[in-house]
Coordinates of all heavy atoms in Angstrom, one line a residue:
M1 N 0.9 -1.2 0.0 CA 0.0 0.0 0.0 C 0.9 1.3 0.0 O 1.8 1.4 0.7 CB -0.9 0.0 1.2 CG -1.9 1.1 1.3 SD -3.0 1.0 2.7 CE -4.3 0.0 2.0
T2 N 0.5 2.2 -0.8 CA 1.3 3.5 -0.9 C 0.5 4.5 -0.1 O -0.7 4.3 0.3 CB 1.4 4.0 -2.3 OG1 0.1 4.3 -2.8 CG2 2.0 2.9 -3.2
C3 N 1.1 5.7 0.1 CA 0.5 6.8 0.8 C -0.8 7.2 0.1 O -1.8 7.5 0.7 CB 1.4 8.0 1.0 SG 2.9 7.7 1.9
R4 N -0.8 7.1 -1.2 CA -2.0 7.5 -2.0 C -3.1 6.5 -1.8 O -4.2 6.9 -1.6 CB -1.5 7.5 -3.5 CG -2.1 8.7 -4.2 CD -2.3 8.4 -5.7 NE -3.7 8.7 -5.9 CZ -4.3 9.8 -6.1 NH1 -3.5 10.9 -6.0 NH2 -5.6 10.0 -6.3
D5 N -2.8 5.2 -1.8 CA -3.8 4.2 -1.5 C -4.4 4.4 -0.1 O -5.6 4.3 0.1 CB -3.2 2.8 -1.5 CG -2.7 2.4 -2.9 OD1 -3.2 3.0 -3.9 OD2 -1.8 1.6 -3.0
L6 N -3.5 4.8 0.8 CA -3.9 4.9 2.2 C -5.0 6.0 2.2 O -6.0 6.0 2.9 CB -2.8 5.2 3.1 CG -3.1 5.2 4.6 CD1 -2.1 4.4 5.4 CD2 -3.2 6.6 5.1
I7 N -4.7 7.2 1.6 CA -5.6 8.3 1.6 C -7.0 7.9 1.0 O -8.0 8.3 1.4 CB -4.9 9.5 0.9 CG1 -3.9 10.0 1.9 CG2 -6.0 10.6 0.6 CD1 -2.9 11.0 1.3
D8 N -6.9 7.1 -0.1 CA -8.1 6.7 -0.7 C -9.0 5.8 0.3 O -10.2 5.9 0.1 CB -7.8 5.8 -2.0 CG -7.4 6.6 -3.1 OD1 -7.6 7.8 -3.1 OD2 -6.8 6.0 -4.1
F9 N -8.3 5.1 1.1 CA -9.0 4.2 2.0 C -9.4 4.9 3.3 O -10.1 4.3 4.2 CB -8.2 3.0 2.4 CG -8.1 1.9 1.4 CD1 -7.0 1.5 0.8 CD2 -9.3 1.2 1.1 CE1 -7.0 0.4 -0.1 CE2 -9.3 0.1 0.2 CZ -8.1 -0.2 -0.3
L10 N -9.0 6.1 3.5 CA -9.1 6.8 4.8 C -10.5 6.8 5.3 O -10.8 6.5 6.4 CB -8.5 8.2 4.7 CG -8.0 8.8 5.9 CD1 -7.0 8.0 6.6 CD2 -7.4 10.2 5.6
D11 N -11.4 7.3 4.4 CA -12.9 7.4 4.7 C -13.4 6.1 5.3 O -14.0 6.0 6.4 CB -13.7 7.7 3.5 CG -14.1 9.1 3.4 OD1 -13.9 9.9 4.4 OD2 -14.5 9.6 2.3
D12 N -13.1 5.0 4.6 CA -13.6 3.7 4.9 C -13.0 3.2 6.2 O -13.6 2.6 7.1 CB -13.4 2.7 3.8 CG -14.3 2.9 2.6 OD1 -15.3 3.6 2.8 OD2 -13.9 2.5 1.5
Y13 N -11.7 3.5 6.4 CA -11.0 3.1 7.6 C -11.6 3.8 8.8 O -11.9 3.1 9.8 CB -9.5 3.5 7.5 CG -8.8 3.1 8.8 CD1 -8.4 1.8 9.0 CD2 -8.4 4.1 9.7 CE1 -7.7 1.4 10.2 CE2 -7.7 3.8 10.8 CZ -7.4 2.4 11.1 OH -6.7 2.1 12.2
V14 N -11.8 5.1 8.7 CA -12.3 5.8 9.9 C -13.8 5.4 10.2 O -14.2 5.3 11.4 CB -12.3 7.4 9.6 CG1 -13.0 8.2 10.6 CG2 -10.8 7.8 9.6
D15 N -14.5 5.0 9.2 CA -15.9 4.6 9.4 C -15.9 3.1 9.6 O -17.0 2.5 9.7 CB -16.8 4.9 8.2 CG -17.2 6.4 8.2 OD1 -17.0 7.0 9.3 OD2 -17.6 6.9 7.2
E16 N -14.8 2.4 9.7 CA -14.7 1.0 10.0 C -15.4 0.1 9.0 O -16.1 -0.8 9.3 CB -15.1 0.7 11.4 CG -14.2 1.3 12.4 CD -14.5 1.0 13.8 OE1 -15.5 0.3 14.1 OE2 -13.7 1.5 14.7
R17 N -15.3 0.5 7.7 CA -15.9 -0.2 6.6 C -14.9 -1.1 5.8 O -15.3 -1.7 4.8 CB -16.6 0.7 5.6 CG -17.9 1.3 6.2 CD -18.7 2.0 5.0 NE -17.8 3.0 4.4 CZ -18.0 4.4 4.4 NH1 -19.0 4.8 5.1 NH2 -17.2 5.2 3.9
L18 N -13.7 -1.1 6.3 CA -12.7 -2.0 5.5 C -12.8 -3.4 5.9 O -13.2 -3.8 7.0 CB -11.3 -1.5 5.9 CG -10.8 -0.1 5.4 CD1 -9.4 0.2 5.8 CD2 -11.0 0.0 3.9
S19 N -12.4 -4.3 5.0 CA -12.4 -5.7 5.3 C -11.1 -5.9 6.2 O -10.2 -5.1 6.3 CB -12.2 -6.5 4.0 OG -10.9 -6.3 3.5
L20 N -11.1 -7.1 6.8 CA -9.9 -7.4 7.7 C -8.6 -7.3 7.0 O -7.7 -6.7 7.5 CB -10.1 -8.8 8.3 CG -10.9 -8.9 9.5 CD1 -10.9 -10.4 10.0 CD2 -10.3 -8.1 10.7
I21 N -8.5 -7.7 5.8 CA -7.3 -7.7 5.0 C -6.9 -6.3 4.7 O -5.8 -5.9 4.8 CB -7.4 -8.6 3.8 CG1 -7.4 -10.1 4.2 CG2 -6.2 -8.4 2.8 CD1 -7.6 -11.1 3.1
E22 N -7.9 -5.5 4.2 CA -7.6 -4.1 3.9 C -7.1 -3.3 5.1 O -6.2 -2.5 5.1 CB -8.8 -3.4 3.3 CG -9.2 -3.9 1.9 CD -10.5 -3.4 1.4 OE1 -11.4 -3.2 2.3 OE2 -10.7 -3.2 0.2
R23 N -7.8 -3.6 6.2 CA -7.5 -3.0 7.4 C -6.1 -3.3 7.9 O -5.3 -2.4 8.4 CB -8.5 -3.4 8.5 CG -8.6 -2.5 9.7 CD -9.5 -3.1 10.7 NE -9.3 -2.4 12.0 CZ -10.0 -1.3 12.3 NH1 -10.9 -0.8 11.4 NH2 -9.7 -0.7 13.4
A24 N -5.7 -4.6 7.8 CA -4.4 -5.0 8.2 C -3.3 -4.3 7.3 O -2.3 -3.8 7.8 CB -4.2 -6.5 8.0
K25 N -3.5 -4.2 6.0 CA -2.6 -3.5 5.1 C -2.5 -2.0 5.5 O -1.5 -1.4 5.4 CB -3.1 -3.6 3.6 CG -2.9 -4.9 3.0 CD -3.3 -4.8 1.5 CE -3.5 -6.2 0.9 NZ -4.2 -6.0 -0.4
F26 N -3.6 -1.4 5.8 CA -3.7 0.0 6.1 C -2.9 0.2 7.4 O -2.1 1.1 7.4 CB -5.2 0.3 6.4 CG -5.5 1.8 6.5 CD1 -6.0 2.5 5.5 CD2 -5.2 2.4 7.8 CE1 -6.3 3.8 5.6 CE2 -5.5 3.8 7.9 CZ -6.0 4.5 6.9
E27 N -3.1 -0.7 8.4 CA -2.4 -0.5 9.6 C -0.9 -0.7 9.5 O -0.1 -0.1 10.2 CB -3.0 -1.3 10.8 CG -4.4 -0.6 11.2 CD -5.2 -1.3 12.2 OE1 -4.9 -2.5 12.5 OE2 -6.2 -0.7 12.6
L28 N -0.5 -1.7 8.6 CA 0.9 -2.0 8.4 C 1.6 -0.7 7.8 O 2.7 -0.3 8.2 CB 1.0 -3.1 7.3 CG 2.2 -3.9 7.4 CD1 2.4 -4.7 8.7 CD2 2.2 -4.9 6.2
H29 N 0.9 -0.1 6.9 CA 1.4 1.1 6.3 C 1.5 2.2 7.4 O 2.5 2.9 7.5 CB 0.6 1.6 5.1 CG 1.2 2.9 4.5 ND1 2.1 2.8 3.4 CD2 1.1 4.2 4.8 CE1 2.4 4.1 3.1 NE2 1.9 4.9 3.9
L30 N 0.5 2.4 8.2 CA 0.5 3.4 9.2 C 1.7 3.2 10.1 O 2.3 4.2 10.6 CB -0.8 3.3 10.0 CG -2.0 4.1 9.6 CD1 -3.1 4.0 10.6 CD2 -1.7 5.6 9.3
A31 N 1.9 1.9 10.5 CA 3.0 1.6 11.5 C 4.4 2.1 10.9 O 5.2 2.5 11.6 CB 3.0 0.2 11.8
A32 N 4.5 2.0 9.6 CA 5.8 2.3 9.0 C 5.9 3.8 8.5 O 6.9 4.2 8.2 CB 6.0 1.4 7.7
C33 N 4.8 4.5 8.4 CA 4.8 5.8 7.8 C 4.3 6.9 8.7 O 3.1 7.0 9.0 CB 3.9 5.8 6.5 SG 3.9 7.3 5.6
R34 N 5.2 7.7 9.2 CA 4.8 8.8 10.1 C 3.9 9.8 9.4 O 3.0 10.4 10.0 CB 6.1 9.4 10.6 CG 5.9 10.7 11.3 CD 7.3 11.3 11.6 NE 7.8 10.9 12.9 CZ 7.8 11.6 14.0 NH1 7.3 12.8 13.9 NH2 8.2 11.1 15.1
D35 N 4.2 10.1 8.1 CA 3.4 11.1 7.5 C 1.9 10.8 7.5 O 1.0 11.6 7.8 CB 3.8 11.3 6.0 CG 5.1 12.1 5.9 OD1 5.5 12.8 6.9 OD2 5.7 12.1 4.8
C36 N 1.7 9.5 7.2 CA 0.3 9.0 7.2 C -0.4 9.0 8.6 O -1.6 9.2 8.7 CB 0.2 7.7 6.5 SG 0.3 7.8 4.7
R37 N 0.4 8.7 9.6 CA -0.1 8.8 11.0 C -0.6 10.2 11.3 O -1.6 10.4 11.8 CB 1.0 8.3 12.0 CG 1.1 6.8 12.0 CD 1.7 6.3 13.3 NE 3.0 6.8 13.6 CZ 4.2 6.3 13.1 NH1 4.1 5.2 12.4 NH2 5.3 6.9 13.3
N38 N 0.3 11.2 10.9 CA -0.1 12.6 11.2 C -1.3 12.9 10.4 O -2.2 13.6 10.9 CB 1.1 13.5 10.8 CG 2.2 13.4 11.7 OD1 2.1 12.9 12.8 ND2 3.4 13.8 11.2
Y39 N -1.3 12.5 9.1 CA -2.5 12.8 8.3 C -3.8 12.2 8.9 O -4.8 12.9 8.9 CB -2.3 12.2 6.9 CG -3.3 12.7 5.9 CD1 -3.2 13.9 5.3 CD2 -4.4 11.9 5.6 CE1 -4.1 14.4 4.4 CE2 -5.4 12.3 4.7 CZ -5.2 13.6 4.1 OH -6.2 14.0 3.2
L40 N -3.7 11.0 9.3 CA -4.9 10.3 9.9 C -5.3 11.1 11.2 O -6.6 11.3 11.4 CB -4.5 8.9 10.2 CG -5.6 8.1 11.0 CD1 -6.9 7.9 10.1 CD2 -5.2 6.7 11.4
A41 N -4.4 11.5 12.0 CA -4.7 12.2 13.2 C -5.5 13.5 12.9 O -6.6 13.8 13.5 CB -3.5 12.5 14.1
S42 N -5.0 14.3 11.9 CA -5.7 15.5 11.6 C -7.1 15.3 10.9 O -8.0 16.0 11.1 CB -4.8 16.5 10.8 OG -4.4 15.8 9.6
Y43 N -7.1 14.2 10.1 CA -8.3 13.8 9.4 C -9.4 13.4 10.5 O -10.5 13.9 10.4 CB -8.1 12.6 8.5 CG -9.4 12.2 7.8 CD1 -9.7 12.8 6.6 CD2 -10.1 11.1 8.3 CE1 -10.9 12.4 5.9 CE2 -11.3 10.7 7.6 CZ -11.6 11.3 6.5 OH -12.8 11.0 5.8
R44 N -9.0 12.7 11.5 CA -10.0 12.3 12.5 C -10.5 13.5 13.2 O -11.7 13.5 13.6 CB -9.3 11.3 13.5 CG -9.2 9.9 13.1 CD -9.0 9.0 14.3 NE -9.7 7.7 14.0 CZ -9.0 6.6 14.1 NH1 -7.7 6.5 14.4 NH2 -9.6 5.4 13.8
E45 N -9.6 14.4 13.5 CA -10.0 15.6 14.3 C -11.0 16.4 13.4 O -12.0 16.9 13.9 CB -8.7 16.5 14.6 CG -9.0 17.7 15.4 CD -9.5 17.5 16.8 OE1 -9.6 16.3 17.2 OE2 -10.0 18.4 17.5
T46 N -10.8 16.5 12.2 CA -11.7 17.2 11.3 C -13.1 16.6 11.2 O -14.1 17.2 11.3 CB -11.1 17.3 9.8 OG1 -9.8 17.9 9.9 CG2 -12.0 18.1 8.9
V47 N -13.1 15.3 11.1 CA -14.3 14.5 11.1 C -15.0 14.7 12.4 O -16.3 14.9 12.4 CB -14.1 13.0 10.9 CG1 -15.4 12.1 11.2 CG2 -13.6 12.7 9.5
R48 N -14.3 14.6 13.5 CA -14.9 14.8 14.8 C -15.6 16.2 14.9 O -16.8 16.3 15.4 CB -13.9 14.7 15.9 CG -14.4 14.6 17.3 CD -13.3 14.4 18.4 NE -12.6 15.7 18.4 CZ -13.0 16.8 19.1 NH1 -14.2 16.8 19.6 NH2 -12.3 17.9 19.1
L49 N -14.9 17.3 14.5 CA -15.4 18.6 14.6 C -16.6 18.7 13.6 O -17.7 19.3 14.0 CB -14.4 19.6 14.1 CG -13.3 19.8 15.1 CD1 -12.2 20.8 14.5 CD2 -13.8 20.5 16.4
A50 N -16.6 18.1 12.5 CA -17.7 18.2 11.5 C -18.9 17.5 12.1 O -20.1 18.0 11.9 CB -17.2 17.6 10.2
R51 N -18.7 16.4 12.7 CA -19.8 15.7 13.3 C -20.4 16.4 14.4 O -21.7 16.5 14.6 CB -19.4 14.3 13.7 CG -19.3 13.4 12.5 CD -19.0 12.0 12.8 NE -18.8 11.2 11.6 CZ -18.3 10.1 11.4 NH1 -17.7 9.5 12.5 NH2 -18.2 9.5 10.3
A52 N -19.6 17.0 15.3 CA -20.0 17.8 16.4 C -20.8 19.0 15.8 O -21.9 19.3 16.4 CB -18.9 18.3 17.2
A53 N -20.3 19.6 14.8 CA -21.1 20.8 14.2 C -22.4 20.4 13.6 O -23.4 21.1 13.7 CB -20.2 21.4 13.1
G54 N -22.5 19.1 13.1 CA -23.7 18.7 12.4 C -24.7 18.1 13.5 O -25.8 17.9 13.1
A55 N -24.2 17.9 14.7 CA -25.1 17.3 15.7 C -26.4 18.2 16.0 O -27.5 17.6 15.9 CB -24.3 17.1 17.0
T56 N -26.2 19.4 16.2 CA -27.4 20.3 16.4 C -27.0 21.7 15.8 O -25.9 22.1 15.7 CB -27.6 20.6 17.9 OG1 -26.5 21.3 18.4 CG2 -27.8 19.3 18.6
E57 N -28.1 22.4 15.4 CA -27.9 23.7 14.8 C -27.3 24.7 15.9 O -26.6 25.5 15.6 CB -29.2 24.2 14.3 CG -29.7 23.5 13.1 CD -28.9 23.7 11.8 OE1 -28.3 24.8 11.7 OE2 -28.8 22.8 11.0
E58 N -27.8 24.4 17.1 CA -27.4 25.4 18.2 C -25.9 25.3 18.4 O -25.2 26.3 18.6 CB -28.1 24.9 19.5 CG -29.5 25.5 19.6 CD -30.4 24.5 20.4 OE1 -30.2 24.5 21.6 OE2 -31.3 23.8 19.8
T59 N -25.3 24.0 18.4 CA -23.9 23.9 18.5 C -23.1 24.7 17.5 O -22.2 25.4 17.8 CB -23.5 22.4 18.4 OG1 -24.3 21.6 19.2 CG2 -22.0 22.2 18.8
A60 N -23.6 24.6 16.2 CA -23.0 25.3 15.1 C -23.1 26.8 15.3 O -22.1 27.6 15.1 CB -23.7 24.9 13.8
A61 N -24.2 27.3 15.9 CA -24.5 28.7 16.1 C -23.5 29.2 17.2 O -23.1 30.4 17.1 CB -25.9 29.0 16.5
E62 N -23.1 28.4 18.1 CA -22.2 28.9 19.1 C -20.7 28.8 18.7 O -19.9 29.4 19.3 CB -22.3 28.0 20.3 CG -23.6 28.2 21.1 CD -23.8 27.1 22.1 OE1 -22.9 26.4 22.4 OE2 -25.0 27.1 22.6
M63 N -20.5 28.2 17.5 CA -19.1 28.1 17.1 C -18.7 29.4 16.3 O -19.5 30.0 15.6 CB -18.9 26.9 16.2 CG -19.0 25.6 16.9 SD -19.2 24.2 15.8 CE -17.6 24.1 15.2
P64 N -17.4 29.8 16.3 CA -17.0 30.9 15.6 C -17.3 30.6 14.0 O -17.1 29.6 13.6 CB -15.5 30.9 15.8 CG -15.2 30.1 17.0 CD -16.3 29.1 17.0
A65 N -17.7 31.7 13.3 CA -18.1 31.6 11.9 C -16.9 31.0 11.1 O -17.2 30.2 10.2 CB -18.5 32.9 11.4
D66 N -15.7 31.4 11.4 CA -14.6 31.0 10.6 C -14.4 29.5 10.7 O -14.1 28.8 9.7 CB -13.3 31.7 11.1 CG -13.2 33.1 10.6 OD1 -14.1 33.5 9.8 OD2 -12.3 33.8 11.0
L67 N -14.6 29.0 11.9 CA -14.4 27.5 12.1 C -15.5 26.7 11.4 O -15.2 25.7 10.8 CB -14.5 27.2 13.7 CG -14.3 25.8 14.1 CD1 -13.0 25.2 13.5 CD2 -14.4 25.6 15.6
V68 N -16.7 27.2 11.5 CA -17.9 26.6 10.8 C -17.6 26.5 9.3 O -17.7 25.5 8.7 CB -19.2 27.3 11.1 CG1 -20.3 26.7 10.3 CG2 -19.5 27.2 12.6
R69 N -17.1 27.6 8.8 CA -16.8 27.7 7.4 C -15.7 26.7 7.0 O -15.8 26.0 6.0 CB -16.4 29.2 7.0 CG -16.9 29.5 5.6 CD -16.7 31.0 5.3 NE -17.4 31.9 6.2 CZ -16.8 32.9 6.9 NH1 -15.6 33.1 6.8 NH2 -17.6 33.6 7.7
A70 N -14.7 26.7 7.9 CA -13.6 25.7 7.6 C -14.1 24.3 7.5 O -13.7 23.5 6.7 CB -12.5 25.9 8.6
I71 N -15.0 24.0 8.5 CA -15.6 22.6 8.6 C -16.4 22.3 7.3 O -16.3 21.3 6.7 CB -16.3 22.4 9.9 CG1 -15.4 22.4 11.0 CG2 -17.1 21.0 9.8 CD1 -16.1 22.5 12.3
M72 N -17.2 23.3 6.9 CA -18.1 23.1 5.7 C -17.2 22.9 4.5 O -17.5 22.0 3.7 CB -19.0 24.3 5.5 CG -20.1 24.5 6.6 SD -21.0 23.0 6.9 CE -22.0 23.5 8.3
D73 N -16.2 23.7 4.4 CA -15.2 23.5 3.3 C -14.6 22.1 3.3 O -14.5 21.5 2.2 CB -14.1 24.5 3.3 CG -14.6 25.9 3.0 OD1 -15.7 26.0 2.5 OD2 -13.8 26.9 3.2
S74 N -14.2 21.6 4.4 CA -13.7 20.3 4.5 C -14.6 19.2 4.1 O -14.2 18.1 3.7 CB -13.0 20.0 5.9 OG -14.1 19.8 6.8
R75 N -15.9 19.5 4.3 CA -17.0 18.5 3.8 C -17.3 18.6 2.3 O -18.1 17.9 1.8 CB -18.3 18.7 4.6 CG -18.2 18.4 6.0 CD -19.3 19.0 6.7 NE -19.9 18.1 7.7 CZ -21.1 18.5 8.4 NH1 -21.7 19.6 8.1 NH2 -21.6 17.7 9.3
G76 N -16.6 19.6 1.7 CA -16.8 19.7 0.2 C -18.1 20.5 -0.2 O -18.6 20.3 -1.3
R77 N -18.5 21.4 0.7 CA -19.7 22.2 0.4 C -19.2 23.5 -0.2 O -18.2 24.0 0.2 CB -20.5 22.4 1.6 CG -21.4 21.2 1.9 CD -22.4 21.6 3.0 NE -23.0 20.4 3.5 CZ -23.7 20.3 4.5 NH1 -24.0 21.3 5.3 NH2 -24.3 19.1 4.9
Ligands
ZN1 ZN1 2.3 6.8 4.0

């Protein structure tokens, strides 16, 4: 697995939709590749924030506008 493959699988990995074999390959690459570990960590944080923002409208209203916009952009809107 290359770094590019890993990024393609990232969504499925975070949502736990990978097969056991894909997951093993993914984790093998992660263990060997610091860049991808960093990338995964920031990706997870973004997903967490986006989900928190999507949880309720009120939560989003309390967040700084710049942050909300950044999260919306990261979701591809
Ligand atoms: Zn990598």
Side-chain angles (χ1 to χ4, degrees):
M1 181 174 278
T2 65
C3 294
R4 226 207 119 77
D5 293 336
L6 187 135
I7 288 163
D8 285 344
F9 277 121
L10 205 56
D11 258 346
D12 289 338
Y13 178 77
V14 169
D15 285 343
E16 298 184 356
R17 286 192 305 248
L18 291 180
S19 71
L20 272 181
I21 290 177
E22 286 168 334
R23 198 184 167 88
K25 286 186 196 162
F26 191 103
E27 285 176 350
L28 205 65
H29 182 94
L30 271 187
C33 183
R34 169 187 269 258
D35 285 346
C36 286
R37 282 202 300 275
N38 291 340
Y39 189 82
L40 176 64
S42 59
Y43 180 86
R44 278 203 152 124
E45 182 64 8
T46 305
V47 168
R48 195 182 65 74
L49 287 173
R51 284 186 181 158
T56 66
E57 292 294 329
E58 282 148 69
T59 310
E62 285 167 13
M63 291 167 75
D66 285 351
L67 180 58
V68 173
R69 216 171 299 128
I71 293 168
M72 292 310 175
D73 286 348
S74 75
R75 288 163 142 185
R77 282 190 191 168

